């Protein structure tokens, strides 16, 4: 077609007084938004190629660059917004599905921001975590109905458990969707911080085997890279049923991202699309799920907890109750704001429910059915800061998965173009030229700093509440109050309104 | 002696090392003025081919062929620091040193001056400017106790 109706999304503004024509921007832009014009002897821009990832802005040594939203305005229309129109133009051009990356960016209500935390004043003392011990240790796994001790003083018949120094784990991101250097950064940070990271459905690269005590290996519908050694290489196994960003559909890895190493790790031919089936074709019921859970437990000698990850959907409480009965040790629930390397935009932005409501509903249901001790609850999608974690724990979560936040620590600027494989930050790419932009030595430090900072903040918040162990906050919804919430929302969250 | 070592696996090929080398060897020490008002040649060279890139600079080697080759005595190796440096005033621009250097680390001045341009390890500062400003820690300044002999 002759004319592309789409306009640029962003405009690159270059201060020519500051630009020294060093061309760092041109060399760093995989989208070719900058180029040097030999005739005009100055740098120029191709605005339509810009994805606003800030790589050029960050590396420009003279701060000569600013990226802005393209100022062209459509005639005001609350229904047919500019975004809606440009989506239609894109599809009219290509006939394809609208693709996107990272989590749901639409302005639907974020419940974390409508929940407030409590603190001690006068009637009970707050605790100063810098002066007194504060416990964040978190132990995930099925707990026995009653505690009995053997002759050595150990708990009798205790199923396998995962021990975390802080209630945070890195969420599932496969080698393939992210680069080996991103995987190494997360694995090593998890190892040094006493956390867990999750392989996602891409198998385990051989360079990551040394971190096996801190690895959760995932088994998804595509079964990529799953073999006996893989199952036994992790500290726990996770069956991925669904993902918050795209409930009801399987993972997508475009063939462009399947290079030599990804092909070897996933056990698929080079350059082929890795499209996971939407369902596990051996799981059509809770009974089938039970069979897979026990097949995996059998394969690993009942030594590793098995987690089941689902997307938060309408019937999440009933589904979680089924999963707990099916023998899972951990249930991971991913909310509709969860991230992804590639998802159809319409599904990401419209399918699923908020994690806050799903978590409250699941925790309540499991308690009602006396199943709560049988599983640990891990929530994700999207945990943005330490306060979100504290609120999640008070709502009933045992731990959280963070993924987008960890990638932001590694350099991600949320341009949402992961699916193109051209990540300028070396994270969501397999192009060797781009992968090496993420030095894992720097990555590890940045991610560790984030987790350390968040852990300190969690301790501060707990101290303020007069609580000295995270365990005492779990499911303690009296520490939460809602603002700007309806009766129904408060009822589902199981919290009182501020002032009550 | 402490030298600059390149880690090509992390080199972005962004050439910021060259930018900061120019700035640090300028009169103004100001990045914009160095480029717009002065004529300074970078003493570090980024070599790029496809996905491979690394920054190259003088190895300050034992034996220093450039010192032996220099016809005016402008190029000298400091006995104490081990740094090979040259005296711009003595240099006549014969470029014999360029031919003698087995690493290709000595280069002509880019602005037509007779002198040559080579790394002095930013001797007056603690850490060379290229190392300090590499965005991906692809350059490190350390003593590996291995002498590169030519």
């Amino acid at each position: 077609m002759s004319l592309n109706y789409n306009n640029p999304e962003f405009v690159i503004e270059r201060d020519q007084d500051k630009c020294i024509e060093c061309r760092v921007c041109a060399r760093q832009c995989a989208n070719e938004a900058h180029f040097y014009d030999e005739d005009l002897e100055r740098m120029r821009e191709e605005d339509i190629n810009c994805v606003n990832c800030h790589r050029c802005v960050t590396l420009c040594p003279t701060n000569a660059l600013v990226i802005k939203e393209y100022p062209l305005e459509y005639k005001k229309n609350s229904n047919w917004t500019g975004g809606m129109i440009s989506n239609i133009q894109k599809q009219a051009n290509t006939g394809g599905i609208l693709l996107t990356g990272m989590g749901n960016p639409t302005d639907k209500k974020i419940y974390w921001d409508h929940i407030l935390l409590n603190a001690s004043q006068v009637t009970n003392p707050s605790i100063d975590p810098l002066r007194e011990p504060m416990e964040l240790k978190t132990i995930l796994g099925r707990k026995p109905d009653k505690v009995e001790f053997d002759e050595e003083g150990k708990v009798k018949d205790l199923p396998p458990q995962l021990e975390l120094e802080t209630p945070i784990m890195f969420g599932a991101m496969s080698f393939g969707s992210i680069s080996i250097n991103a995987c190494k950064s997360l694995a090593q940070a998890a190892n040094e911080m006493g956390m867990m990271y999750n392989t996602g459905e891409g198998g385990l690269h051989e360079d990551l085997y040394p971190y096996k005590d801190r690895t959760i290996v995932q088994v998804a519908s595509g079964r990529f890279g799953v073999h006996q050694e893989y199952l036994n290489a992790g500290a726990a196994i996770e069956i991925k049923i669904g993902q918050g960003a795209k409930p009801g559909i399987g993972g997508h890895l475009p063939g462009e991202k399947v290079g030599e190493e990804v092909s070897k790790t996933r056990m698929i031919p080079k350059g082929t699309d890795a499209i996971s089936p939407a369902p596990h074709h051996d799981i059509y019921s809770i009974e089938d799920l039970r069979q897979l859970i026990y097949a995996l437990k059998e394969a690993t000698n009942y030594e590793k907890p098995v987690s089941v990850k689902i997307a938060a959907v309408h019937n999440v409480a009933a589904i979680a109750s089924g999963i707990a009965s099916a023998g899972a040790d951990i249930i991971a629930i991913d909310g509709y704001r969860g991230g992804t390397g590639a998802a159809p935009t319409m599904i990401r932005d419209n399918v699923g429910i908020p994690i806050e409501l799903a978590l409250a509903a699941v925790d309540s249901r499991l308690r009602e059915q006396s199943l709560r001790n049988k599983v640990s609850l891990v929530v994700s999608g999207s945990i943005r800061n330490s306060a979100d974690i504290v609120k999640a724990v008070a709502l009933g979560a045992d731990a959280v998965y963070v993924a987008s936040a960890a990638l932001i620590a590694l350099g991600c600027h949320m341009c949402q173009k992961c699916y193109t494989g051209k990540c300028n930050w070396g994270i969501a790419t397999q192009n060797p030229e781009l992968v090496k932009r993420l030095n894992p030595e720097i990555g590890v430090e940045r991610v560790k700093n984030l987790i350390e900072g968040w852990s300190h903040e969690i301790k501060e918040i707990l101290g303020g509440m007069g609580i000295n162990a995270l365990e005492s906050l779990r499911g303690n919804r009296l520490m939460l109050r809602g603002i700007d919430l309806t009766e129904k929302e408060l009822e589902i969250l199981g919290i009182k309104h501020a002032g009550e | 002696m402490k030298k600059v070592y390149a880690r090509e696996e992390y080199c972005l090929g962004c050439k910021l090392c060259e930018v900061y080398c120019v700035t640090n060897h300028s009169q103004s020490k100001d990045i914009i003025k160095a480029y717009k008002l002065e004529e300074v040649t970078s003493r570090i060279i980024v070599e790029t081919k496809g996905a491979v890139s690394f920054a190259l600079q003088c190895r300050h080697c034992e034996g220093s062929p450039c010192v032996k080759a220099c016809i005016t005595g402008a190029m000298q190796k400091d006995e104490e620091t081990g740094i090979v440096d040259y005296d711009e005033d003595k240099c006549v621009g014969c470029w014999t040193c360029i031919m003698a250097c087995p690493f290709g680390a000595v280069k002509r001045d880019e602005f037509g001056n007779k002198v040559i341009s080579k790394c002095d390890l930013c001797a007056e500062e603690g850490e060379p400017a290229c190392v300090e400003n590499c965005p991906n820690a692809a350059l490190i300044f350390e003593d590996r106790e291995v002498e590169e002999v030519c």
Side-chain angles (χ1 to χ4, degrees):
Chain A
M1 268 176 271
S2 57
L3 189 62
N4 182 351
Y5 294 179
N6 277 105
N7 296 306
E9 265 188 276
F10 304 103
V11 57
I12 302 170
E13 288 185 359
R14 187 186 314 273
D15 184 340
Q16 294 291 355
D17 287 341
K18 286 183 179 172
C19 178
I20 55 170
E21 280 110 34
C22 67
R23 308 185 205 183
V24 168
C25 48
R27 284 184 210 102
Q28 289 296 296
C29 184
N31 300 301
E32 298 177 344
H34 300 268
F35 63 97
Y36 183 73
D37 190 314
E38 300 281 352
D39 299 327
L40 297 175
E41 293 185 337
R42 64 177 175 88
M43 295 302 303
R44 288 179 56 199
E45 310 74 37
E46 198 67 78
D47 290 331
I48 203 153
N49 291 344
C50 177
V51 300
N52 198 8
C53 73
H54 290 188
R55 181 73 184 178
C56 55
V57 176
T58 312
L59 267 85
C60 175
T62 60
N63 298 321
L65 292 167
V66 178
I67 314 283
K68 290 185 178 165
E69 234 172 82
Y70 199 69
L72 180 70
E73 287 179 8
Y74 289 87
K75 186 178 166 84
K76 271 223 171 358
N77 191 324
S78 301
N79 188 36
W80 290 102
T81 57
M84 297 285 171
I85 296 170
S86 79
N87 276 347
I88 289 178
Q89 302 293 11
K90 272 186 215 163
Q91 292 190 289
N93 232 13
T94 62
I97 287 176
L98 294 167
L99 271 183
T100 189
M102 301 311 284
N104 185 340
T106 57
D107 59 0
K108 296 178 183 76
K109 194 178 230 171
I110 298 169
Y111 284 91
W112 299 131
D113 297 338
H114 291 266
I115 298 174
L116 296 172
L117 294 162
N118 195 25
S120 304
Q121 298 291 297
V122 184
T123 53
N124 53 344
S126 44
I127 301 168
D128 187 342
L130 293 174
R131 297 194 174 87
E132 292 178 56
M134 187 68 73
E135 185 72 61
L136 295 188
K137 193 175 279 278
T138 297
I139 295 173
L140 302 181
R142 174 173 291 246
K143 307 291 185 290
D145 291 336
K146 56 180 178 184
V147 183
E148 285 180 294
F149 297 95
D150 62 15
E151 284 137 21
E152 289 173 16
K154 285 187 178 163
V155 181
K156 260 189 189 172
D157 303 322
L158 185 69
Q161 307 285 323
L162 285 185
E163 202 175 309
L164 311 173
E165 294 303 320
T166 189
I168 310 169
M169 304 191 285
F170 298 128
M173 287 176 283
S174 68
F175 169 51
S177 74
I178 59 170
S179 67
I180 188 64
N181 284 355
C183 291
K184 281 181 187 167
S185 302
L186 296 174
Q188 204 181 320
N191 198 35
E192 290 179 28
M193 299 297 287
M195 306 159 58
M196 291 285 160
Y197 83 99
N198 190 311
T199 62
E201 58 172 307
L204 188 61
H205 189 276
E206 56 189 16
D207 287 357
L208 299 173
Y209 274 85
Y211 308 109
K212 58 188 204 162
D213 294 342
R214 292 292 159 191
T215 306
I216 297 178
V217 295
Q218 210 178 51
V219 175
S221 60
R223 300 286 197 273
F224 297 119
V226 177
H227 46 82
Q228 177 86 22
E229 199 191 346
Y230 169 75
L231 294 176
N232 280 292
I237 301 172
E238 182 167 275
I239 300 170
K240 179 202 173 189
I241 301 291
Q243 182 178 347
K246 42 181 170 178
I249 59 176
H252 297 72
L253 186 70
E256 291 80 14
K257 278 174 124 176
V258 183
E260 186 77 45
E261 294 293 309
V262 175
S263 133
K264 206 163 75 183
T265 309
R266 292 208 176 204
M267 308 191 300
I268 56 171
K270 225 169 110 177
T272 51
D273 291 339
I275 308 291
S276 295
H280 285 248
H281 281 298
D282 51 355
I283 303 177
Y284 284 21
S285 66
I286 290 292
E287 291 73 18
D288 290 345
L289 175 66
R290 184 179 178 82
Q291 284 197 2
L292 181 60
I293 291 172
Y294 277 90
L296 293 173
K297 287 189 174 187
E298 194 71 39
T300 52
N301 205 22
Y302 295 86
E303 284 165 0
K304 298 175 198 301
V306 173
S307 163
V308 175
K309 178 184 173 182
I310 53 167
V313 288
H314 299 180
N315 280 328
V316 67
I319 297 162
S321 148
I323 294 170
S325 313
D329 302 280
I330 300 165
I331 302 177
I333 309 170
D334 196 14
Y336 84 138
R337 285 187 185 278
T340 177
T345 312
M346 289 305 125
I347 289 183
R348 182 195 68 176
D349 294 354
N350 296 286
V351 182
I353 64 168
I355 190 59
E356 302 89 329
L357 302 179
L359 164 60
V362 169
D363 181 66
S364 301
R365 177 70 67 96
L366 294 177
R367 282 174 196 276
E368 281 163 20
Q369 299 183 334
S370 304
L371 289 169
R372 188 61 185 85
N373 66 303
K374 297 198 186 301
V375 281
S376 292
L377 272 184
V378 178
V379 298
S380 56
S382 90
I383 302 290
R384 304 158 302 163
N385 53 45
S386 56
D388 288 355
I389 299 176
V390 175
K391 290 169 190 176
V393 170
L395 276 178
D398 288 286
V400 299
Y401 271 136
V402 300
S404 297
L407 296 191
I408 293 172
L410 289 177
C412 167
H413 280 58
M414 280 281 162
C415 73
Q416 308 179 21
K417 290 287 187 287
C418 329
Y419 62 96
T420 63
K422 286 187 188 170
C423 176
N424 274 320
W425 292 90
I427 300 168
T429 178
Q430 299 301 326
N431 175 348
E433 231 172 299
L434 300 176
V435 171
K436 67 177 178 176
R437 292 183 182 183
L438 176 58
N439 179 344
E441 291 164 19
I442 298 174
V444 169
E445 287 309 311
R446 294 185 62 88
V447 175
K448 271 169 56 188
N449 283 343
L450 175 74
I451 301 301
E452 212 168 270
W454 281 11
S455 300
H456 280 309
E457 287 173 348
I458 295 171
K459 288 180 180 176
E460 287 285 347
I461 297 171
L462 284 182
M465 291 174 178
I467 293 174
N468 65 3
L470 194 64
E471 203 55 47
S472 312
L473 181 71
R474 268 197 188 100
N476 187 350
R477 298 192 198 175
L478 284 171
M479 287 295 165
L480 304 174
R481 289 290 186 273
I483 47 164
D484 293 334
L485 294 176
T486 63
E487 281 294 332
K488 192 71 189 172
E489 288 167 326
L490 291 168
E491 181 194 322
I492 295 166
L493 288 168
I495 61 173
K496 290 180 174 175
H497 199 276
E500 275 188 272
Chain B
M1 69 178 285
K2 273 177 128 177
K3 290 184 186 177
V4 179
Y5 292 94
R7 299 197 294 173
E8 75 202 40
E9 67 272 33
Y10 300 129
C11 176
L12 314 174
C14 68
K15 304 201 182 185
L16 274 176
C17 49
E18 296 189 4
V19 171
Y20 286 98
C21 180
V22 165
T23 307
N24 206 40
H25 290 96
S26 68
Q27 291 289 325
S28 61
K29 311 271 179 196
D30 178 290
I31 192 163
I32 295 175
K33 288 182 190 165
Y35 272 83
K36 301 221 180 223
L37 305 177
E38 301 182 40
E39 292 185 339
V40 188
T41 301
S42 166
R43 300 163 183 223
I44 189 164
I45 306 158
V46 176
E47 301 277 6
T48 308
K49 190 176 183 185
V52 182
S53 59
F54 62 91
L56 172 75
Q57 69 300 103
C58 172
R59 306 315 306 152
H60 301 277
C61 57
E62 282 303 312
S64 315
C66 58
V67 174
K68 286 180 192 148
C70 182
I71 61 168
T72 64
M75 191 78 83
Q76 294 290 340
K77 185 170 174 71
D78 190 301
E79 293 294 329
E80 265 177 44
T81 63
I83 294 174
V84 177
D85 202 2
Y86 84 106
D87 183 343
E88 206 175 299
D89 295 335
K90 286 187 188 164
C91 175
V92 294
C94 70
W95 300 328
T96 316
C97 53
I98 296 178
M99 288 190 285
C101 177
F103 299 103
V106 189
K107 60 190 247 192
R108 284 169 59 178
D109 183 277
E110 284 166 4
F111 297 92
N113 300 319
K114 278 185 176 173
V115 294
I116 53 100
S117 181
K118 73 167 287 300
C119 168
D120 59 358
L121 286 178
C122 295
E124 285 153 28
E125 270 99 302
E127 196 163 63
C130 52
V131 176
E132 206 181 320
N133 290 290
C134 175
N136 209 29
L139 290 172
I140 39 174
F141 188 50
E142 63 182 13
D143 191 348
R144 290 189 175 170
E145 289 174 357
V146 183
E147 280 305 330
E148 283 150 299
V149 182
C150 296

Coordinates of all heavy atoms in Angstrom, one line a residue, chain B residues 16-47:
Chain B
L16 N 31.6 6.2 23.8 CA 31.6 7.2 24.8 C 33.0 7.4 25.4 O 33.4 8.4 25.8 CB 30.6 6.9 25.9 CG 29.2 7.3 25.7 CD1 28.3 6.9 26.8 CD2 29.1 8.9 25.5
C17 N 33.8 6.3 25.3 CA 35.2 6.4 25.8 C 36.0 7.4 25.0 O 36.8 8.2 25.6 CB 35.9 5.0 25.8 SG 35.7 4.1 24.2
E18 N 35.7 7.4 23.7 CA 36.4 8.4 22.9 C 35.9 9.8 23.2 O 36.8 10.7 23.3 CB 36.1 8.1 21.4 CG 36.6 6.8 20.9 CD 36.5 6.6 19.4 OE1 36.1 7.6 18.7 OE2 36.8 5.5 18.9
V19 N 34.6 10.0 23.5 CA 34.1 11.3 23.8 C 34.8 11.8 25.1 O 35.2 13.0 25.2 CB 32.6 11.2 24.0 CG1 32.1 12.6 24.6 CG2 31.9 10.9 22.7
Y20 N 34.9 10.9 26.1 CA 35.5 11.4 27.4 C 37.0 11.5 27.3 O 37.6 12.3 28.0 CB 35.0 10.5 28.5 CG 33.5 10.7 28.9 CD1 32.5 10.0 28.4 CD2 33.2 11.9 29.6 CE1 31.2 10.3 28.6 CE2 31.9 12.2 29.9 CZ 30.9 11.4 29.4 OH 29.6 11.7 29.7
C21 N 37.6 10.7 26.4 CA 39.0 10.9 26.2 C 39.3 12.3 25.6 O 40.2 13.0 26.1 CB 39.6 9.8 25.3 SG 41.3 9.9 24.9
V22 N 38.5 12.6 24.6 CA 38.7 14.0 24.0 C 38.5 15.1 25.1 O 39.3 16.0 25.2 CB 37.7 14.1 22.8 CG1 37.6 15.6 22.4 CG2 38.1 13.3 21.7
T23 N 37.4 14.9 25.8 CA 37.1 15.9 26.8 C 38.3 16.1 27.9 O 38.7 17.2 28.2 CB 35.8 15.6 27.6 OG1 34.8 15.4 26.6 CG2 35.4 16.7 28.5
N24 N 38.7 14.9 28.3 CA 39.8 15.0 29.4 C 41.1 15.5 28.8 O 41.9 16.0 29.6 CB 40.0 13.6 30.0 CG 40.5 13.7 31.4 OD1 40.1 14.5 32.1 ND2 41.4 12.8 31.7
H25 N 41.3 15.4 27.5 CA 42.6 15.9 27.0 C 42.4 17.3 26.3 O 43.3 17.7 25.6 CB 43.2 14.9 26.0 CG 43.7 13.7 26.7 ND1 42.9 12.5 26.8 CD2 44.8 13.4 27.4 CE1 43.6 11.6 27.5 NE2 44.8 12.1 27.9
S26 N 41.3 17.9 26.6 CA 41.1 19.2 26.0 C 41.5 20.3 27.0 O 41.8 20.0 28.2 CB 39.6 19.5 25.8 OG 38.9 19.5 27.0
Q27 N 41.7 21.5 26.5 CA 42.1 22.6 27.4 C 40.9 22.9 28.4 O 41.1 23.1 29.6 CB 42.3 23.9 26.6 CG 43.6 23.8 25.7 CD 44.8 23.9 26.6 OE1 44.9 24.5 27.6 NE2 45.9 23.1 26.2
S28 N 39.7 23.0 27.9 CA 38.6 23.4 28.7 C 38.0 22.4 29.6 O 37.4 22.7 30.6 CB 37.4 23.8 27.7 OG 37.0 22.7 26.9
K29 N 38.3 21.1 29.3 CA 37.7 20.0 30.1 C 36.2 20.0 30.1 O 35.5 19.5 30.9 CB 38.2 19.9 31.5 CG 39.7 20.0 31.7 CD 40.4 18.7 31.7 CE 41.9 18.8 31.8 NZ 42.6 17.7 31.5
D30 N 35.6 20.7 29.1 CA 34.2 20.8 29.0 C 33.8 20.1 27.7 O 34.3 20.4 26.6 CB 33.8 22.3 28.9 CG 32.3 22.5 28.7 OD1 31.7 22.2 27.7 OD2 31.6 22.9 29.7
I31 N 32.9 19.2 27.8 CA 32.6 18.3 26.7 C 32.1 19.1 25.4 O 32.5 18.8 24.3 CB 31.6 17.2 27.1 CG1 31.4 16.1 26.1 CG2 30.2 17.8 27.5 CD1 30.7 14.9 26.8
I32 N 31.2 20.0 25.6 CA 30.7 20.8 24.4 C 31.8 21.7 23.8 O 32.0 21.7 22.6 CB 29.4 21.5 24.8 CG1 28.3 20.5 25.2 CG2 29.0 22.4 23.7 CD1 27.1 21.1 25.7
K33 N 32.5 22.4 24.7 CA 33.6 23.2 24.2 C 34.7 22.4 23.5 O 35.3 22.8 22.5 CB 34.2 24.1 25.3 CG 33.3 25.2 25.8 CD 34.0 25.9 26.9 CE 33.0 26.9 27.6 NZ 33.6 27.4 28.9
A34 N 35.0 21.3 24.1 CA 36.1 20.4 23.5 C 35.8 20.1 22.1 O 36.6 20.0 21.3 CB 36.3 19.2 24.4
Y35 N 34.5 19.8 21.9 CA 34.1 19.4 20.5 C 33.8 20.6 19.6 O 34.1 20.5 18.4 CB 32.8 18.5 20.6 CG 33.2 17.0 20.7 CD1 33.5 16.5 22.0 CD2 33.3 16.2 19.6 CE1 33.9 15.2 22.1 CE2 33.7 14.9 19.7 CZ 34.0 14.4 21.0 OH 34.3 13.1 21.1
K36 N 33.3 21.7 20.1 CA 32.9 22.8 19.2 C 34.0 23.8 19.0 O 34.0 24.5 18.0 CB 31.7 23.4 19.8 CG 30.5 22.4 19.9 CD 29.2 23.0 19.5 CE 28.1 22.0 19.7 NZ 27.2 22.0 18.6
L37 N 34.9 24.0 20.0 CA 35.9 25.0 19.9 C 37.4 24.5 19.8 O 38.2 25.2 19.4 CB 35.8 25.9 21.2 CG 34.5 26.5 21.5 CD1 34.5 27.4 22.8 CD2 34.0 27.5 20.4
E38 N 37.6 23.3 20.2 CA 39.0 22.8 20.2 C 39.2 21.7 19.2 O 38.2 21.2 18.6 CB 39.4 22.3 21.6 CG 39.2 23.3 22.7 CD 39.6 22.8 24.1 OE1 40.6 22.1 24.1 OE2 39.0 23.2 25.0
E39 N 40.4 21.4 18.9 CA 40.8 20.3 18.0 C 41.5 19.2 18.8 O 42.7 19.3 18.9 CB 41.6 20.9 16.9 CG 40.8 21.8 16.0 CD 41.6 22.2 14.7 OE1 42.9 22.2 14.8 OE2 41.0 22.7 13.8
V40 N 40.8 18.3 19.3 CA 41.4 17.2 20.1 C 41.1 15.9 19.5 O 40.0 15.6 19.1 CB 40.9 17.3 21.6 CG1 41.6 16.3 22.5 CG2 40.9 18.7 22.1
T41 N 42.1 15.1 19.4 CA 41.9 13.7 18.8 C 41.8 12.7 20.0 O 42.6 12.8 20.9 CB 43.1 13.4 17.9 OG1 43.2 14.3 16.9 CG2 42.9 12.0 17.3
S42 N 40.9 11.8 19.8 CA 40.8 10.8 20.9 C 42.0 9.9 20.9 O 42.5 9.6 19.8 CB 39.5 9.9 20.6 OG 39.6 8.8 21.4
R43 N 42.4 9.5 22.1 CA 43.6 8.6 22.2 C 43.2 7.2 22.3 O 44.0 6.3 22.4 CB 44.5 9.1 23.3 CG 44.9 10.5 23.1 CD 45.4 11.1 24.4 NE 45.8 12.5 24.1 CZ 46.8 13.1 24.6 NH1 47.7 12.5 25.4 NH2 47.1 14.4 24.3
I44 N 41.9 6.9 22.4 CA 41.4 5.6 22.5 C 40.7 5.3 21.2 O 40.1 6.2 20.6 CB 40.6 5.4 23.7 CG1 40.2 3.9 23.9 CG2 39.3 6.2 23.7 CD1 39.7 3.6 25.4
I45 N 40.8 4.1 20.7 CA 40.2 3.7 19.4 C 39.2 2.6 19.6 O 39.6 1.5 20.1 CB 41.3 3.3 18.4 CG1 42.4 4.3 18.3 CG2 40.6 3.0 17.0 CD1 43.7 3.8 17.7
V46 N 37.9 2.8 19.2 CA 37.0 1.7 19.3 C 37.0 0.9 18.0 O 36.7 1.5 16.9 CB 35.6 2.2 19.7 CG1 34.6 1.0 19.7 CG2 35.6 2.8 21.0
E47 N 37.3 -0.3 18.0 CA 37.3 -1.2 16.8 C 35.9 -1.9 16.8 O 35.6 -2.5 17.8 CB 38.4 -2.2 16.8 CG 39.8 -1.6 16.9 CD 40.3 -1.1 15.5 OE1 39.5 -1.2 14.6 OE2 41.5 -0.7 15.5

